[in-house]
Amino acid sequence: MRLPDHLGLLLTEEPVLDVYAYGPWRVPDGLFEEISARIDALANDPRCAGLTTDEHKLLTLPASLVTAEIFGILAFLPGGGAIKAGSWSQLPERLLHRHLVNPGPLSTRMTRWDAPGGRWRPPVDWLVEAPDRELAIGLARDCLEVLEGIEPVERRRRALLRLYEDPPRCDVNLPKMELREHWHAHADEEILAAVPELLGPVGYLEWVSAGLLAAYEHLVSVAPRDETVETHLIQLLLQGSLEHVPAELAVALGEDRYRELQARFQAERRGFKPGGWQEQTRAWLVRALVSGAADACRAWLDMAMRWVATVQGLPGDPWFPKPEWIPVGQFQTDLRRLYAPRRRVVNPLVESLAREAAAPEKAAAAVKEAPDGLVSGLVGQPEVTAALAELSQGREPVRLLLVGPDGTGKRDAAQELAKALNLPREPIWLTDNLFAGQRLSDAVAKLHADVRDCAGERLLIIEGLDGIVTDPGNGEAIAGELHRLLAVHEDLSLVALCDTGGDERIREINPVLPHRFRTARTVPFDEDGHAELFRRALRRRGARGTRHALAAAGRLLAATPPVQTLRNARLAPYLADVVVDAVRARSTGEPGAELVIGKRDIPETLDTTQNAGEPLAELRELTGLETVKQEIALLVAGTHAARLRGENGLKVSPPTRHMVFTGNPGTGKTMVARLLGRIYKKLGVLSSGHVVEASRAHLVGEYIGQTAPRTRRLVERAIGGVLFIDEAYTLTQSPLKSDYGHEAIAELVKLMEDHRDDLVVIVAGYQREMAEFLAANPGLDSRFPKQLHFPDYSDDELVAVFEQLAAADGFRLEEGAAGLLRATLRRVPRGPSFGNGRLMRNLLDVAVANQAQRVAAAARDARLNGHNGHNGSGRGKAPKEPTKKDLITLRAEDLPPLLDHPEELFGLYL
């Protein structure tokens, strides 16, 4: 039994305004105070001087006509007879508190409610007393303007403002009622849809009657009630203390139903008891509430209240001249009574009787010889689930090939099957890494040994079989050997796991091998699958999600782009950690109480890259690199233009975005690569925007057959983002014929083309060496159409970098220290070994260490001086404890000294 998420605010103690037609709304902190200040400013406007009244019964007299007008508007904005509830529902009392003649205490009860009729109508009400009618209409519009921001009534407020923006052509000095008629008749369909009261009392009654009948029919379908619609309407009239059936209902309900009401009214009236009807209706609403129809209950209450208010006010506007008994307050109390968090105490009988009941079941399980079939815990994988159920019941050895994306439950399926087979020994897991780079004889020997060990005894699980057999070194031979072993060892049970399309890759190497297996495919999770995974993740963390929260989480996870290994089933635990930590941080409930996650706790987006901020702004703020910034600005502009062309149906050819960064160390190449990934993520070019940083060691293997798989795995990690390969020229510089760098390049070129839609590869290094690198492979130069050169920083730019790094660490340079640093840099020779920004970081570390030694010595001297009782008389001033300013200031003496041989700076600080 759950309450809809959007009603969860009603169970809190937050400041809530609950206009039933809109729903509960948390009042932002400070908003009502801001609106009150706007009201006061308007009332004190020079245009309002002398515009007062002595006839308002609730405002301090003389009352400003503007304040009186706003009082009427606030009663009207929720709707004629509409229910307005919540702990901050007293809009006139809160916003006009200091203007009230008898301001009483403001209620903060969540169950408080009211339903004012509201006689205000555009264009003016109290302001009609102003001598200048055009000024009065302008001020009435301003009254609506100052009330901006109260979200539950904002649609109606904006609709009314549209009337003032396009007023009817009529004499503004007409009597108030005639002027209203002109304005109401001028309202268009959109305005009337938001403010149906402008239809007039009969038109509004027709609108309300349609809503009441729809709400009633929906509610009785959930909670049946032994009465006809006509009986229900008559009892509402009697509950509103009406003594006859209003003739206007002939228009609102139709003549046939109106005559039926007339014919039965007096008979129903004789036995009608308001108190009994109220209790019966309250019980009816509770039955509907626990059936999950909270919104339908609220809709009926709101329409019933409007209906009674409207018929009571006929022939005029909705009003409450007589008492009513519709159980709004009781419903609100019941809602909190049933759904508010409760303290629970475990009854000891529950545990003791459960143990007794479980004993026979445990005994029966102990004598059961084998499972009847596997009940899988997999989510959203019907093909695999069916395969597991069938194979776990069979008596033949299992040969299963699981094919699908990473993170879709292939490992879980293999583990479930291993348990269901109930073999004497635990399964053996083999991965493609165990075979990569081995000599063929060693790899085959290992495969033979593992197969002999598993035959008839345990399940053999090979993870990444497609990677093993497609290895350019030993793959084909291992595929053939595995095929022979499956034929020889008929009692071997084997489960092999492959990526999507892995069975086809195996078939290309050995067309017969896939026929030895039953193939079952996993698929990415849909919204429902992600929702179930999220529910399980919450349960493991001691939390529970509402139905709407789980659905929202499912939609969010299905729309979240994967990042490296954070994909598919691994996204749900990640989101669960984020949400549970956030809810626990602000939870004020009992320690150990069940944590309930609502829809409002689910974020709009899930940032798996953990990168906040605006990357383009960060790029602009970098010191120097003006040419690089201009080039990236052109790339961004090109992406925007391509999107516009696509939106207008023009042909768009996706460009190749791979790049070359050239420049000396410390010129910002890695930093710009990281920003570029985030920029392309925001532009929608890349799905995740993460950056994978690599060097030669990440691509090139030590033995034959290691390089291509290693390069593939690296690229797969980078899909969706940027692969940044620093010092890429080292792939082609080895003089050894047996070097595998060229193999890595060949594999990289192929993969760059395969994944060009969601991968950017950036290779970086010295300018001359990178030119040689691009010439080493015929396909390289064309794969990298954009080359950006990162120049060395000037002396002034390096000083700025130093100051920025210092400020980021909480330090600042004293006056004159920057000049000394600049003088040092002018003497240092520039060349390939110059560290640029990297050198500035190292120099800052030295300066901070020197400053720490200096301030520590000063503090020690100050303590020793105080301990010895010296006051410094006759010897100058005594040492003092370093101040806060001293602790954050880097002086000239803290910087590295000027050297006789400036080139030594590289050896000392790099």
Side-chain angles (χ1 to χ4, degrees), residues 36-210:
S36 295
R38 290 186 219 149
I39 293 172
D40 291 345
L42 180 59
N44 294 325
D45 190 298
R47 295 176 297 164
C48 303
L51 300 182
T52 60
T53 179
D54 291 324
E55 297 182 7
H56 204 288
K57 297 179 180 180
L58 300 177
L59 299 176
T60 302
L61 303 179
S64 167
L65 289 179
V66 163
T67 308
E69 189 84 15
I70 289 175
F71 197 104
I73 293 174
L74 288 172
F76 176 80
L77 276 179
I83 297 174
K84 173 167 58 75
S87 56
W88 279 39
S89 60
Q90 297 168 284
L91 289 181
E93 292 84 350
R94 288 187 178 275
L95 297 177
L96 300 170
H97 192 264
R98 75 178 195 85
H99 298 279
L100 300 179
V101 63
N102 290 313
L106 295 171
S107 171
T108 57
R109 290 183 299 107
M110 191 63 76
T111 54
R112 190 209 169 274
W113 70 279
D114 63 73
R119 292 193 178 276
W120 182 87
R121 292 288 187 279
V124 286
D125 189 17
W126 285 90
L127 279 166
V128 74
E129 298 180 17
D132 185 341
R133 185 65 65 82
E134 288 189 357
L135 172 63
I137 293 174
L139 288 175
R141 184 191 187 284
D142 293 342
C143 290
L144 283 167
E145 287 279 10
V146 300
L147 297 178
E148 180 183 7
I150 307 174
E151 193 59 38
V153 298
E154 189 63 14
R155 177 173 177 245
R156 289 169 58 86
R157 187 191 70 88
R158 287 196 295 264
L160 290 168
L161 279 174
R162 284 189 55 207
L163 269 177
Y164 290 89
E165 292 166 1
D166 180 25
R169 295 180 181 179
C170 65
D171 183 2
V172 297
N173 294 308
L174 290 171
K176 182 169 70 172
M177 299 306 296
E178 291 185 34
L179 187 62
R180 282 182 177 178
E181 290 299 324
H182 282 285
W183 278 62
H184 298 176
H186 189 64
D188 60 28
E189 296 297 324
E190 186 177 345
I191 295 174
L192 292 174
V195 194
E197 294 92 329
L198 302 186
L199 294 167
V202 177
Y204 184 54
L205 178 61
E206 186 176 12
W207 182 88
V208 173
S209 297

Side-chain angles (χ1 to χ4, degrees), residues 367-484:
V367 299
K368 194 172 184 180
E369 293 183 359
D372 293 331
L374 177 61
V375 180
S376 175
L378 295 179
V379 173
Q381 307 298 343
E383 184 176 339
V384 177
T385 301
L388 295 184
E390 181 180 333
L391 293 172
S392 63
Q393 291 180 329
R395 299 187 178 275
E396 297 297 322
V398 170
R399 308 284 173 83
L400 177 63
L401 185 65
L402 294 174
V403 182
D406 190 28
T408 50
K410 291 176 294 184
R411 294 189 186 93
D412 292 339
Q415 289 172 333
E416 286 188 358
L417 186 57
K419 292 178 181 177
L421 292 176
N422 200 24
L423 293 171
R425 299 166 65 193
E426 292 294 316
I428 286 182
W429 287 76
L430 300 180
T431 66
D432 53 355
N433 287 329
L434 295 174
F435 294 92
Q438 287 196 25
R439 292 182 300 177
L440 179 59
S441 58
D442 293 339
V444 171
K446 174 172 179 52
L447 183 61
H448 273 263
D450 289 333
V451 168
R452 284 195 304 270
D453 188 33
C454 290
E457 292 284 323
R458 55 171 63 175
L459 178 66
L460 177 62
I461 304 172
I462 302 179
E463 192 169 350
L465 179 61
D466 51 337
I468 294 173
V469 303
T470 55
D471 185 284
N474 301 329
E476 187 173 355
I478 291 177
E481 200 65 29
L482 178 60
H483 178 256
R484 284 190 291 273

Side-chain angles (χ1 to χ4, degrees), residues 197-270:
E197 294 92 329
L198 302 186
L199 294 167
V202 177
Y204 184 54
L205 178 61
E206 186 176 12
W207 182 88
V208 173
S209 297
L212 173 64
L213 293 174
Y216 177 76
E217 289 171 4
H218 180 81
L219 205 53
V220 293
S221 70
V222 177
R225 194 173 186 183
D226 188 17
E227 64 179 13
T228 64
V229 174
E230 289 74 19
T231 299
H232 183 71
L233 294 174
I234 292 172
Q235 290 178 342
L236 275 177
L237 292 173
L238 295 171
Q239 196 69 7
S241 302
L242 267 77
E243 298 179 353
H244 64 279
V245 179
E248 291 84 352
L249 286 176
V251 178
L253 299 174
E255 292 185 14
D256 291 342
R257 180 162 280 168
Y258 169 70
R259 293 193 185 96
E260 181 73 14
L261 297 183
Q262 276 191 316
R264 296 170 55 181
F265 185 80
Q266 294 302 327
E268 292 286 347
R269 183 181 182 186
R270 283 193 291 272

